[in-house]
């Protein structure tokens, strides 16, 4: 781009200050961390409780992300990592205990 490193740093700082760059994230190799299984769990949560239940789901060990779907019955997608099948069962049970209905599970490779 033919600009100095200090110019790039200043532009990045300005974008951070303006909230255009909201943050940075780590790229985690879950397999290297001992989590051999990754799964997308498609769930249903009551519409009035969906946001709250999504936040609570993030407190379940193994849940790494929750996305809300704005329409339809299957309105939460929960990304999980687990060390084995028993760990996956525990996570699904804890989500169910929160009041979230597990509709479908998809193993991600």
């Amino acid at each position: 781009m033919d600009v100095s490193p200090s110019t790039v740093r200043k532009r990045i700082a300005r974008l951070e200050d303006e909230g255009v760059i909201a943050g940075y994230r780590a790229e985690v190799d879950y397999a290297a961390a001992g989590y051999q299984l990754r799964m997308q769990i498609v769930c249903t949560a009551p519409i009035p409780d969906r946001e709250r239940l999504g936040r609570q789901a993030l407190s379940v060990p193994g849940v790494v992300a929750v996305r809300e779907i704005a329409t339809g019955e299957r309105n939460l997608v929960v990304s999980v990592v687990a060390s084995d099948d028993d760990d996956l069962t525990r996570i699904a049970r804890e989500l169910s205990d929160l009041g979230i209905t597990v509709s479908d599970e998809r193993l991600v490779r």
Side-chain angles (χ1 to χ4, degrees):
M1 292 185 57
D2 199 30
V3 295
S4 71
S6 65
T7 299
V8 173
R9 281 193 300 273
K10 287 177 188 175
R11 288 182 183 172
I12 290 172
R14 187 182 76 226
L15 291 169
E16 290 170 339
D17 291 343
E18 293 173 357
V20 175
I21 296 176
Y24 300 90
R25 64 181 178 90
E27 191 70 33
V28 178
D29 182 341
Y30 291 109
Y35 298 101
Q36 302 304 314
L37 301 174
R38 293 184 67 189
M39 185 165 284
Q40 296 284 358
I41 302 177
V42 181
C43 303
T44 301
I47 300 286
D49 303 324
R50 179 180 56 202
E51 184 178 350
R52 177 183 57 81
L53 289 172
R55 283 192 311 269
Q56 288 178 341
L58 285 169
S59 69
V60 173
V63 172
V64 295
V66 176
R67 291 187 173 81
E68 293 182 44
I69 308 300
T71 60
E73 182 177 290
R74 296 173 170 203
N75 55 16
L76 285 179
V77 177
V78 181
S79 300
V80 304
V81 295
S83 55
D84 56 30
D85 288 339
D86 290 339
D87 205 17
L88 285 174
T89 300
R90 175 197 53 80
I91 293 167
R93 186 174 43 251
E94 288 188 37
L95 291 173
S96 180
D97 290 346
L98 291 174
I100 297 171
T101 302
V102 173
S103 302
D104 192 17
E105 299 174 333
R106 297 180 184 142
L107 193 61
V108 178
R109 188 163 169 95

